[in-house]
Amino acid sequence: MGSPARAAVLLINLGTPDSAAVPDVRRFLSEMLSDPYLVDLPKFLWWPILNGVILNIRPGKSAKKYAAIWTPQGSPLKTHMARTAALLSESLKCANRSGPPLTADFAMRYGQPSIPAVLERLKNAGHSSILLFPLYPHYSPATTATALDAAFSWAERTSRPPELRTVESYGEHPGY
């Protein structure tokens, strides 16, 4: 009944700060290094190290490195992800002219656009099925698991979420 089901591929990458400015780098590092999938230490041990030492020293050093690679369009990772998603979306449209609409988008595990924000946007645009595609060829808790956990946590908090499917490991696939 009504319009055909809409499907999407969500490409997921690690992330990037919003800018190369120290406050944005600090916020990005705080989000990333607060993830228990990345740092396997009890919170009572890690929290003082992170907030007392790392987030007071590392953002300035990292901001200089980000500034060295930043482009007029912004973060190279974000720019390339947007282009990759757009090209994949065009390929999906060309390959599936007679079937239901397919599209591609991208999200970052840390930083923007966040996984929950993009999933919400895809849901609101009428996508009933989303293939989560973390761009890490081999499974690891610090990459694939944390990305998929962010997506499924969003789904648990969402009324009538779309169907979520996953690509978890593809490094051994002959096509890769």
Side-chain angles (χ1 to χ4, degrees), residues 6-102:
R6 295 185 68 191
V9 176
L10 181 59
L11 304 175
I12 302 171
N13 214 320
L14 183 70
T16 182
D18 292 333
S19 78
V22 173
D24 287 338
V25 172
R26 180 178 288 112
R27 186 172 36 261
F28 171 73
L29 291 174
S30 177
E31 180 184 6
M32 183 172 66
L33 296 174
S34 295
D35 187 339
Y37 282 103
L38 264 65
V39 181
D40 190 20
L41 286 174
K43 191 172 183 176
F44 77 91
L45 288 176
W46 178 240
W47 199 250
I49 296 168
L50 176 62
N51 290 287
V53 180
I54 295 172
L55 292 178
N56 287 314
I57 296 170
R58 194 72 207 159
K61 292 178 181 180
S62 294
K64 288 178 186 171
K65 292 179 180 186
Y66 277 111
I69 63 166
W70 220 254
T71 69
Q73 295 78 32
S75 161
L77 179 61
K78 193 172 185 178
T79 302
H80 290 301
M81 286 294 297
R83 185 169 185 265
T84 300
L87 290 170
L88 178 57
S89 202
E90 282 303 311
S91 293
L92 291 170
K93 286 176 188 170
C94 291
N96 194 43
R97 289 185 184 167
S98 62
L102 295 171

Coordinates of all heavy atoms in Angstrom, one line a residue, residues 6-102:
R6 N 11.7 2.2 1.2 CA 13.0 2.9 0.9 C 14.1 2.3 1.8 O 13.9 2.0 3.0 CB 12.8 4.4 1.2 CG 11.8 5.0 0.3 CD 11.8 6.5 0.5 NE 13.0 7.1 0.0 CZ 13.4 8.3 0.2 NH1 12.7 9.1 0.9 NH2 14.6 8.8 -0.2
A7 N 15.2 2.0 1.2 CA 16.4 1.5 1.8 C 17.5 2.4 1.7 O 17.6 3.2 0.8 CB 16.7 0.1 1.3
A8 N 18.5 2.3 2.7 CA 19.7 3.1 2.7 C 20.8 2.3 3.1 O 20.7 1.3 3.9 CB 19.5 4.3 3.6
V9 N 22.0 2.7 2.7 CA 23.3 2.2 3.2 C 23.9 3.4 4.0 O 24.0 4.5 3.5 CB 24.2 1.8 2.0 CG1 25.6 1.4 2.6 CG2 23.6 0.8 1.2
L10 N 24.3 3.1 5.2 CA 24.9 4.1 6.1 C 26.4 3.7 6.3 O 26.7 2.7 6.9 CB 24.2 4.2 7.4 CG 24.8 5.2 8.4 CD1 24.8 6.6 7.8 CD2 24.1 5.2 9.7
L11 N 27.2 4.5 5.6 CA 28.7 4.3 5.7 C 29.1 4.9 7.1 O 28.8 6.1 7.3 CB 29.4 4.9 4.6 CG 29.0 4.5 3.2 CD1 29.7 5.3 2.1 CD2 29.3 3.0 3.0
I12 N 29.9 4.2 7.9 CA 30.3 4.7 9.2 C 31.8 4.7 9.3 O 32.4 3.7 9.0 CB 29.7 3.8 10.3 CG1 28.1 3.8 10.2 CG2 30.1 4.4 11.7 CD1 27.5 2.8 11.1
N13 N 32.3 5.8 9.7 CA 33.7 6.0 10.0 C 34.0 6.4 11.4 O 33.1 6.8 12.1 CB 34.4 6.9 8.9 CG 35.8 6.5 8.6 OD1 36.6 6.0 9.4 ND2 36.1 6.6 7.3
L14 N 35.3 6.5 11.8 CA 35.6 6.8 13.2 C 35.2 8.2 13.6 O 34.5 8.4 14.6 CB 37.1 6.7 13.3 CG 37.6 6.9 14.8 CD1 37.2 5.8 15.7 CD2 39.1 7.1 14.8
G15 N 35.5 9.2 12.8 CA 35.1 10.6 13.1 C 36.2 11.6 13.0 O 37.4 11.3 12.7
T16 N 35.8 12.8 13.3 CA 36.7 13.9 13.1 C 36.2 15.1 14.0 O 35.0 15.2 14.2 CB 36.8 14.3 11.6 OG1 37.7 15.4 11.5 CG2 35.4 14.7 11.1
P17 N 37.0 16.0 14.5 CA 36.5 17.1 15.1 C 35.8 18.1 14.2 O 36.0 18.0 13.0 CB 37.8 17.8 15.7 CG 39.0 17.1 15.1 CD 38.5 15.9 14.4
D18 N 35.0 19.0 14.7 CA 34.3 19.9 13.9 C 35.2 20.9 13.2 O 34.9 21.4 12.1 CB 33.2 20.7 14.7 CG 32.1 19.8 15.2 OD1 31.8 18.8 14.5 OD2 31.5 20.1 16.2
S19 N 36.3 21.2 13.8 CA 37.3 22.1 13.3 C 38.7 21.7 13.9 O 38.7 20.9 14.8 CB 37.0 23.6 13.6 OG 37.3 23.9 14.9
A20 N 39.7 22.4 13.4 CA 41.0 22.1 14.0 C 41.3 23.0 15.2 O 42.4 23.0 15.7 CB 42.1 22.4 12.9
A21 N 40.3 23.7 15.7 CA 40.4 24.6 16.9 C 40.5 23.7 18.1 O 39.9 22.6 18.2 CB 39.3 25.5 17.0
V22 N 41.3 24.1 19.1 CA 41.5 23.3 20.3 C 40.2 22.9 21.0 O 40.1 21.8 21.4 CB 42.5 24.1 21.3 CG1 42.6 23.4 22.6 CG2 43.9 24.3 20.6
P23 N 39.3 23.8 21.2 CA 38.0 23.4 21.9 C 37.3 22.2 21.1 O 36.8 21.3 21.8 CB 37.2 24.6 22.0 CG 38.1 25.8 21.9 CD 39.2 25.3 21.0
D24 N 37.3 22.3 19.8 CA 36.6 21.2 19.0 C 37.4 19.9 19.1 O 36.8 18.9 19.2 CB 36.4 21.7 17.6 CG 35.3 22.7 17.4 OD1 34.5 22.8 18.3 OD2 35.4 23.4 16.4
V25 N 38.7 20.0 19.1 CA 39.6 18.8 19.2 C 39.4 18.2 20.6 O 39.3 17.0 20.7 CB 41.0 19.2 18.9 CG1 41.9 18.0 19.2 CG2 41.2 19.6 17.4
R26 N 39.4 19.1 21.6 CA 39.2 18.6 23.0 C 37.8 17.8 23.1 O 37.8 16.8 23.7 CB 39.2 19.7 24.0 CG 39.0 19.3 25.4 CD 39.1 20.4 26.5 NE 40.5 20.8 26.6 CZ 41.0 22.0 26.2 NH1 40.2 22.9 25.7 NH2 42.3 22.3 26.3
R27 N 36.8 18.4 22.6 CA 35.5 17.8 22.6 C 35.5 16.4 21.9 O 34.9 15.4 22.4 CB 34.4 18.7 22.0 CG 33.0 18.2 22.2 CD 31.9 19.3 21.7 NE 32.2 20.1 20.6 CZ 32.7 21.4 20.7 NH1 32.9 21.9 21.9 NH2 32.9 22.1 19.6
F28 N 36.1 16.4 20.7 CA 36.2 15.2 20.0 C 37.0 14.1 20.7 O 36.6 12.9 20.9 CB 36.9 15.4 18.6 CG 37.2 14.2 17.8 CD1 36.3 13.5 17.2 CD2 38.6 13.8 17.7 CE1 36.6 12.3 16.5 CE2 38.9 12.7 17.0 CZ 37.9 12.0 16.3
L29 N 38.2 14.5 21.3 CA 39.0 13.5 22.0 C 38.2 13.0 23.3 O 38.3 11.9 23.6 CB 40.3 14.1 22.4 CG 41.3 14.4 21.2 CD1 42.5 15.1 21.7 CD2 41.7 13.1 20.6
S30 N 37.5 13.9 23.9 CA 36.8 13.6 25.1 C 35.7 12.5 24.8 O 35.6 11.5 25.5 CB 36.1 14.8 25.8 OG 35.4 14.4 26.9
E31 N 35.0 12.7 23.7 CA 34.0 11.8 23.3 C 34.6 10.4 23.0 O 34.2 9.4 23.4 CB 33.2 12.3 22.1 CG 32.1 11.4 21.7 CD 31.3 11.8 20.4 OE1 31.7 12.8 19.8 OE2 30.4 11.1 20.0
M32 N 35.6 10.5 22.2 CA 36.3 9.2 21.7 C 36.9 8.5 22.9 O 36.7 7.3 23.1 CB 37.3 9.5 20.6 CG 38.0 8.3 20.1 SD 39.0 8.6 18.6 CE 40.3 9.6 19.4
L33 N 37.7 9.2 23.7 CA 38.4 8.5 24.8 C 37.6 8.2 26.0 O 38.1 7.5 26.9 CB 39.7 9.4 25.1 CG 40.7 9.5 24.0 CD1 41.8 10.5 24.4 CD2 41.3 8.2 23.6
S34 N 36.3 8.6 26.0 CA 35.4 8.2 27.0 C 34.7 6.9 26.7 O 33.9 6.4 27.5 CB 34.4 9.3 27.3 OG 35.0 10.5 27.8
D35 N 34.9 6.4 25.5 CA 34.2 5.2 25.0 C 34.9 4.0 25.7 O 36.1 3.7 25.4 CB 34.3 5.1 23.5 CG 33.5 4.0 22.9 OD1 33.2 3.0 23.7 OD2 33.2 4.1 21.7
P36 N 34.1 3.2 26.4 CA 34.7 2.0 27.1 C 35.2 1.0 26.1 O 36.0 0.1 26.4 CB 33.6 1.5 28.0 CG 32.4 2.1 27.5 CD 32.7 3.4 26.8
Y37 N 34.7 1.0 24.8 CA 35.2 0.1 23.8 C 36.7 0.4 23.4 O 37.4 -0.4 23.0 CB 34.4 0.2 22.5 CG 33.0 -0.6 22.6 CD1 31.9 0.1 22.8 CD2 33.0 -1.9 22.5 CE1 30.6 -0.5 22.8 CE2 31.8 -2.6 22.5 CZ 30.6 -1.9 22.7 OH 29.4 -2.6 22.8
L38 N 37.0 1.7 23.6 CA 38.4 2.1 23.2 C 39.4 2.0 24.4 O 40.5 1.7 24.1 CB 38.4 3.6 22.7 CG 38.3 3.7 21.2 CD1 37.0 3.2 20.6 CD2 38.6 5.1 20.8
V39 N 38.9 2.3 25.5 CA 39.8 2.3 26.7 C 39.2 1.3 27.7 O 38.2 1.6 28.3 CB 39.9 3.7 27.3 CG1 40.9 3.7 28.5 CG2 40.4 4.7 26.3
D40 N 39.9 0.2 27.8 CA 39.5 -0.9 28.7 C 40.1 -0.8 30.1 O 40.9 -1.6 30.5 CB 39.8 -2.2 28.0 CG 39.2 -3.4 28.7 OD1 38.2 -3.2 29.4 OD2 39.7 -4.5 28.5
L41 N 39.7 0.3 30.8 CA 40.1 0.5 32.1 C 38.9 0.9 33.0 O 38.0 1.5 32.4 CB 41.1 1.7 32.2 CG 42.5 1.5 31.8 CD1 43.3 2.8 31.8 CD2 43.3 0.4 32.6
P42 N 38.9 0.5 34.2 CA 37.8 1.0 35.1 C 37.7 2.5 35.0 O 38.7 3.2 35.0 CB 38.1 0.5 36.5 CG 39.1 -0.6 36.2 CD 39.9 -0.2 35.0
K43 N 36.4 3.0 35.0 CA 36.2 4.4 34.9 C 36.9 5.2 36.0 O 37.4 6.3 35.8 CB 34.7 4.7 34.9 CG 34.3 6.1 34.5 CD 32.8 6.3 34.3 CE 32.5 7.7 33.9 NZ 31.1 7.9 33.6
F44 N 36.9 4.7 37.2 CA 37.5 5.4 38.3 C 39.0 5.6 38.2 O 39.6 6.5 38.7 CB 37.1 4.7 39.7 CG 38.0 3.5 40.0 CD1 39.2 3.5 40.7 CD2 37.5 2.2 39.6 CE1 39.9 2.4 41.0 CE2 38.2 1.1 39.9 CZ 39.4 1.2 40.5
L45 N 39.6 4.7 37.4 CA 41.1 4.9 37.1 C 41.3 5.8 35.9 O 42.1 6.7 35.9 CB 41.7 3.5 36.8 CG 42.0 2.6 37.9 CD1 42.5 1.3 37.4 CD2 42.9 3.2 39.0
W46 N 40.5 5.6 34.8 CA 40.7 6.3 33.6 C 40.2 7.8 33.7 O 40.8 8.6 33.1 CB 39.9 5.6 32.5 CG 40.0 6.3 31.1 CD1 39.0 6.7 30.4 CD2 41.2 6.6 30.4 NE1 39.5 7.3 29.2 CE2 40.9 7.2 29.2 CE3 42.6 6.4 30.7 CZ2 41.8 7.7 28.3 CZ3 43.5 6.8 29.7 CH2 43.1 7.5 28.6
W47 N 39.1 8.0 34.3 CA 38.5 9.4 34.4 C 39.5 10.5 34.8 O 39.7 11.5 34.1 CB 37.3 9.4 35.2 CG 36.4 10.5 35.0 CD1 36.1 11.6 35.8 CD2 35.6 10.8 33.8 NE1 35.3 12.5 35.2 CE2 34.9 12.0 34.0 CE3 35.4 10.1 32.6 CZ2 34.1 12.5 33.0 CZ3 34.6 10.7 31.7 CH2 33.9 11.9 31.9
P48 N 40.3 10.3 35.9 CA 41.2 11.3 36.3 C 42.4 11.4 35.3 O 42.9 12.6 35.1 CB 41.8 10.8 37.7 CG 40.9 9.7 38.1 CD 40.1 9.2 36.9
I49 N 42.8 10.3 34.7 CA 43.9 10.4 33.7 C 43.4 11.2 32.5 O 44.1 12.1 32.0 CB 44.3 9.0 33.3 CG1 45.0 8.3 34.5 CG2 45.3 9.1 32.1 CD1 45.2 6.8 34.3
L50 N 42.2 10.9 32.0 CA 41.6 11.5 30.9 C 41.4 13.0 31.1 O 41.9 13.9 30.3 CB 40.3 10.9 30.4 CG 39.6 11.5 29.3 CD1 40.4 11.5 28.0 CD2 38.2 10.8 29.1
N51 N 40.7 13.3 32.2 CA 40.4 14.7 32.4 C 41.5 15.5 33.1 O 41.5 16.8 33.0 CB 39.1 14.8 33.3 CG 37.9 14.3 32.4 OD1 37.4 15.1 31.6 ND2 37.4 13.1 32.7
G52 N 42.3 14.9 33.8 CA 43.4 15.6 34.5 C 44.6 15.8 33.7 O 45.4 16.8 33.9
V53 N 44.9 14.9 32.8 CA 46.2 14.9 32.1 C 45.9 15.0 30.6 O 46.2 16.1 29.9 CB 47.0 13.7 32.4 CG1 48.3 13.7 31.6 CG2 47.3 13.5 33.8
I54 N 45.3 14.0 30.0 CA 45.2 13.9 28.5 C 44.4 15.1 27.9 O 44.9 15.7 27.0 CB 44.6 12.6 28.1 CG1 45.5 11.4 28.5 CG2 44.2 12.6 26.6 CD1 44.9 10.1 28.3
L55 N 43.3 15.4 28.5 CA 42.5 16.5 27.9 C 43.0 17.9 28.2 O 42.5 18.9 27.6 CB 41.0 16.4 28.3 CG 40.3 15.2 27.7 CD1 38.8 15.1 28.2 CD2 40.3 15.2 26.2
N56 N 44.1 18.0 29.0 CA 44.7 19.3 29.2 C 46.0 19.4 28.4 O 46.5 20.5 28.2 CB 45.1 19.4 30.7 CG 43.8 19.7 31.5 OD1 43.0 20.5 31.1 ND2 43.7 19.0 32.6
I57 N 46.5 18.3 27.8 CA 47.8 18.4 27.1 C 47.5 18.0 25.6 O 48.0 18.8 24.7 CB 48.8 17.4 27.7 CG1 49.2 17.8 29.1 CG2 50.0 17.3 26.8 CD1 50.0 16.8 29.8
R58 N 46.8 17.0 25.3 CA 46.7 16.4 24.0 C 46.0 17.3 23.0 O 46.3 17.4 21.8 CB 46.1 15.0 24.0 CG 46.2 14.3 22.8 CD 47.7 13.8 22.6 NE 47.9 13.7 21.2 CZ 49.1 13.7 20.6 NH1 50.2 13.8 21.4 NH2 49.2 13.5 19.4
P59 N 44.9 18.0 23.4 CA 44.1 18.8 22.4 C 45.0 19.8 21.6 O 44.8 20.0 20.4 CB 43.0 19.4 23.2 CG 42.8 18.4 24.3 CD 44.1 17.9 24.6
G60 N 45.8 20.5 22.3 CA 46.7 21.5 21.7 C 47.6 20.9 20.6 O 47.8 21.4 19.5
K61 N 48.2 19.8 21.0 CA 49.2 19.1 20.1 C 48.4 18.5 18.9 O 48.8 18.6 17.8 CB 49.9 18.0 20.8 CG 50.9 18.5 21.9 CD 51.5 17.3 22.6 CE 52.5 17.8 23.7 NZ 53.1 16.7 24.4
S62 N 47.3 17.9 19.2 CA 46.5 17.3 18.1 C 45.9 18.4 17.2 O 45.8 18.2 16.0 CB 45.3 16.5 18.7 OG 45.9 15.3 19.3
A63 N 45.5 19.5 17.8 CA 44.9 20.6 17.0 C 45.9 21.1 15.9 O 45.5 21.4 14.8 CB 44.4 21.8 17.8
K64 N 47.2 21.2 16.3 CA 48.2 21.6 15.3 C 48.3 20.6 14.2 O 48.5 21.0 13.0 CB 49.5 21.7 16.0 CG 49.6 22.9 16.9 CD 51.0 23.0 17.6 CE 50.9 24.2 18.6 NZ 52.1 24.2 19.5
K65 N 48.2 19.3 14.5 CA 48.3 18.3 13.5 C 47.0 18.3 12.6 O 47.1 18.1 11.4 CB 48.5 16.9 14.1 CG 49.8 16.8 14.7 CD 50.0 15.4 15.4 CE 51.4 15.4 16.0 NZ 51.8 14.1 16.6
Y66 N 45.9 18.5 13.2 CA 44.7 18.6 12.4 C 44.8 19.9 11.5 O 44.4 19.8 10.3 CB 43.4 18.7 13.2 CG 42.9 17.4 13.7 CD1 43.0 17.0 15.0 CD2 42.3 16.5 12.8 CE1 42.5 15.8 15.5 CE2 41.8 15.3 13.2 CZ 41.9 14.9 14.5 OH 41.5 13.7 14.9
A67 N 45.3 21.0 12.0 CA 45.4 22.2 11.2 C 46.3 22.0 10.0 O 46.0 22.6 8.9 CB 45.9 23.3 12.1
A68 N 47.3 21.1 10.1 CA 48.2 20.9 9.0 C 47.5 20.1 7.8 O 48.0 20.2 6.7 CB 49.4 20.1 9.5
I69 N 46.5 19.4 8.1 CA 45.8 18.6 7.0 C 44.4 19.1 6.7 O 43.8 18.7 5.7 CB 45.7 17.1 7.4 CG1 44.8 16.9 8.7 CG2 47.1 16.5 7.6 CD1 44.3 15.5 8.9
W70 N 43.9 20.1 7.4 CA 42.6 20.7 7.2 C 42.6 21.3 5.8 O 43.6 21.9 5.4 CB 42.3 21.7 8.3 CG 40.8 21.6 8.7 CD1 39.9 22.5 8.4 CD2 40.3 20.6 9.6 NE1 38.7 22.1 9.0 CE2 38.9 21.0 9.8 CE3 40.7 19.5 10.2 CZ2 38.0 20.2 10.5 CZ3 39.9 18.8 11.0 CH2 38.5 19.1 11.1
T71 N 41.5 21.3 5.1 CA 41.4 21.9 3.8 C 40.3 23.0 3.9 O 39.6 23.1 4.9 CB 40.9 20.8 2.8 OG1 39.5 20.5 3.1 CG2 41.7 19.6 2.8
P72 N 40.2 23.8 2.8 CA 39.2 24.9 2.8 C 37.8 24.3 3.0 O 36.9 24.9 3.5 CB 39.4 25.5 1.5 CG 40.8 25.3 1.1 CD 41.1 23.9 1.7
Q73 N 37.6 23.0 2.6 CA 36.3 22.4 2.7 C 36.1 21.8 4.1 O 35.0 21.4 4.5 CB 36.1 21.3 1.7 CG 36.1 21.7 0.3 CD 37.5 22.0 -0.3 OE1 38.5 21.4 0.1 NE2 37.5 23.0 -1.2
G74 N 37.1 21.7 4.9 CA 37.0 21.2 6.3 C 37.9 19.9 6.4 O 38.9 19.8 5.8
S75 N 37.4 19.1 7.3 CA 38.1 17.8 7.6 C 38.2 17.0 6.3 O 37.2 16.7 5.7 CB 37.3 17.1 8.6 OG 37.7 15.7 8.7
P76 N 39.4 16.5 6.0 CA 39.6 15.6 4.8 C 38.7 14.3 5.0 O 38.1 13.9 4.0 CB 41.1 15.3 4.8 CG 41.7 16.3 5.6 CD 40.7 16.8 6.6
L77 N 38.7 13.8 6.2 CA 37.9 12.5 6.3 C 36.4 12.8 6.1 O 35.7 12.1 5.3 CB 38.0 12.0 7.8 CG 37.2 10.7 8.1 CD1 37.6 9.6 7.1 CD2 37.4 10.3 9.5
K78 N 35.9 13.9 6.6 CA 34.5 14.2 6.4 C 34.2 14.6 4.9 O 33.2 14.1 4.4 CB 34.1 15.4 7.3 CG 32.6 15.7 7.4 CD 32.4 16.7 8.5 CE 30.9 16.9 8.8 NZ 30.7 17.9 9.8
T79 N 35.1 15.3 4.3 CA 34.9 15.6 2.9 C 34.9 14.4 2.0 O 34.0 14.2 1.1 CB 36.1 16.6 2.4 OG1 36.0 17.7 3.3 CG2 35.9 17.0 1.0
H80 N 35.8 13.5 2.3 CA 35.9 12.2 1.5 C 34.7 11.3 1.8 O 34.2 10.7 0.9 CB 37.2 11.5 1.7 CG 38.4 12.2 1.1 ND1 38.5 12.5 -0.2 CD2 39.5 12.7 1.7 CE1 39.7 13.2 -0.4 NE2 40.3 13.3 0.8
M81 N 34.3 11.3 3.0 CA 33.1 10.5 3.3 C 31.8 11.0 2.6 O 31.0 10.2 2.1 CB 32.9 10.5 4.9 CG 33.9 9.6 5.6 SD 33.7 7.9 5.3 CE 32.1 7.5 5.9
A82 N 31.7 12.3 2.6 CA 30.5 12.9 1.9 C 30.5 12.6 0.4 O 29.5 12.2 -0.1 CB 30.5 14.4 2.2
R83 N 31.7 12.7 -0.1 CA 31.8 12.4 -1.6 C 31.6 10.9 -1.9 O 30.9 10.6 -2.8 CB 33.2 12.8 -2.1 CG 33.4 12.6 -3.6 CD 34.7 13.3 -4.0 NE 34.8 13.2 -5.5 CZ 35.4 12.3 -6.1 NH1 36.1 11.3 -5.5 NH2 35.5 12.3 -7.5
T84 N 32.1 10.0 -1.0 CA 31.9 8.6 -1.2 C 30.5 8.2 -1.1 O 29.9 7.5 -1.9 CB 32.8 7.8 -0.2 OG1 34.2 8.1 -0.3 CG2 32.6 6.3 -0.3
A85 N 29.8 8.8 -0.1 CA 28.4 8.5 0.1 C 27.6 9.0 -1.1 O 26.6 8.3 -1.6 CB 27.8 9.1 1.4
A86 N 27.9 10.2 -1.6 CA 27.2 10.7 -2.8 C 27.4 9.9 -4.0 O 26.5 9.6 -4.8 CB 27.6 12.2 -3.0
L87 N 28.6 9.4 -4.2 CA 28.9 8.6 -5.4 C 28.2 7.2 -5.3 O 27.7 6.7 -6.2 CB 30.4 8.4 -5.6 CG 31.2 9.6 -6.0 CD1 32.7 9.4 -5.9 CD2 30.8 10.0 -7.5
L88 N 28.2 6.7 -4.1 CA 27.5 5.4 -3.9 C 26.0 5.6 -4.1 O 25.4 4.7 -4.7 CB 27.8 4.8 -2.4 CG 27.1 3.5 -2.1 CD1 27.5 2.4 -3.1 CD2 27.5 3.1 -0.7
S89 N 25.5 6.7 -3.6 CA 24.1 6.9 -3.8 C 23.7 7.0 -5.2 O 22.7 6.4 -5.7 CB 23.7 8.2 -3.0 OG 22.4 8.3 -2.8
E90 N 24.5 7.7 -6.0 CA 24.3 7.7 -7.5 C 24.4 6.4 -8.1 O 23.6 6.0 -9.0 CB 25.3 8.7 -8.2 CG 24.9 10.1 -8.0 CD 23.5 10.5 -8.5 OE1 23.2 10.1 -9.6 OE2 22.7 11.1 -7.7
S91 N 25.4 5.6 -7.7 CA 25.5 4.2 -8.2 C 24.3 3.3 -7.9 O 23.9 2.6 -8.7 CB 26.8 3.6 -7.7 OG 27.9 4.2 -8.2
L92 N 23.8 3.5 -6.7 CA 22.7 2.7 -6.3 C 21.4 3.0 -7.1 O 20.7 2.2 -7.4 CB 22.4 2.9 -4.8 CG 23.4 2.2 -3.8 CD1 23.2 2.7 -2.4 CD2 23.4 0.7 -3.9
K93 N 21.3 4.3 -7.3 CA 20.1 4.8 -8.1 C 20.2 4.2 -9.5 O 19.2 3.8 -10.1 CB 20.1 6.3 -8.1 CG 19.6 6.9 -6.8 CD 19.6 8.4 -6.9 CE 19.3 9.0 -5.5 NZ 19.6 10.4 -5.4
C94 N 21.4 4.3 -10.1 CA 21.6 3.8 -11.5 C 21.4 2.2 -11.6 O 20.8 1.7 -12.5 CB 23.0 4.1 -12.0 SG 23.2 5.9 -12.3
A95 N 21.9 1.5 -10.6 CA 21.8 0.1 -10.6 C 20.4 -0.4 -10.2 O 20.1 -1.6 -10.5 CB 22.8 -0.5 -9.6
N96 N 19.6 0.4 -9.7 CA 18.3 -0.1 -9.2 C 17.1 0.8 -9.7 O 16.2 1.1 -9.0 CB 18.3 -0.1 -7.6 CG 17.2 -0.8 -7.1 OD1 16.8 -1.9 -7.5 ND2 16.5 -0.3 -6.0
R97 N 17.1 1.1 -11.0 CA 16.1 2.0 -11.5 C 14.7 1.4 -11.4 O 13.8 2.2 -11.3 CB 16.5 2.3 -13.0 CG 17.7 3.2 -13.1 CD 17.9 3.6 -14.5 NE 19.2 4.4 -14.5 CZ 19.8 4.7 -15.5 NH1 19.4 4.3 -16.7 NH2 21.0 5.4 -15.4
S98 N 14.5 0.1 -11.5 CA 13.2 -0.4 -11.5 C 12.7 -0.9 -10.1 O 11.6 -1.2 -9.9 CB 13.1 -1.6 -12.4 OG 14.0 -2.6 -12.0
G99 N 13.7 -0.9 -9.1 CA 13.3 -1.3 -7.8 C 13.0 -0.2 -6.8 O 12.9 1.0 -7.3
P100 N 12.9 -0.5 -5.6 CA 12.6 0.6 -4.6 C 13.8 1.5 -4.5 O 14.9 1.1 -4.8 CB 12.4 -0.2 -3.3 CG 13.0 -1.5 -3.5 CD 12.9 -1.8 -5.0
P101 N 13.5 2.8 -4.1 CA 14.6 3.7 -4.0 C 15.7 3.3 -3.0 O 15.4 2.8 -1.9 CB 13.9 5.0 -3.5 CG 12.4 4.8 -3.8 CD 12.2 3.3 -3.7
L102 N 16.9 3.5 -3.4 CA 18.1 3.2 -2.6 C 18.9 4.5 -2.5 O 19.0 5.2 -3.4 CB 18.9 2.1 -3.2 CG 18.3 0.7 -3.3 CD1 19.2 -0.2 -4.1 CD2 18.1 0.1 -1.9

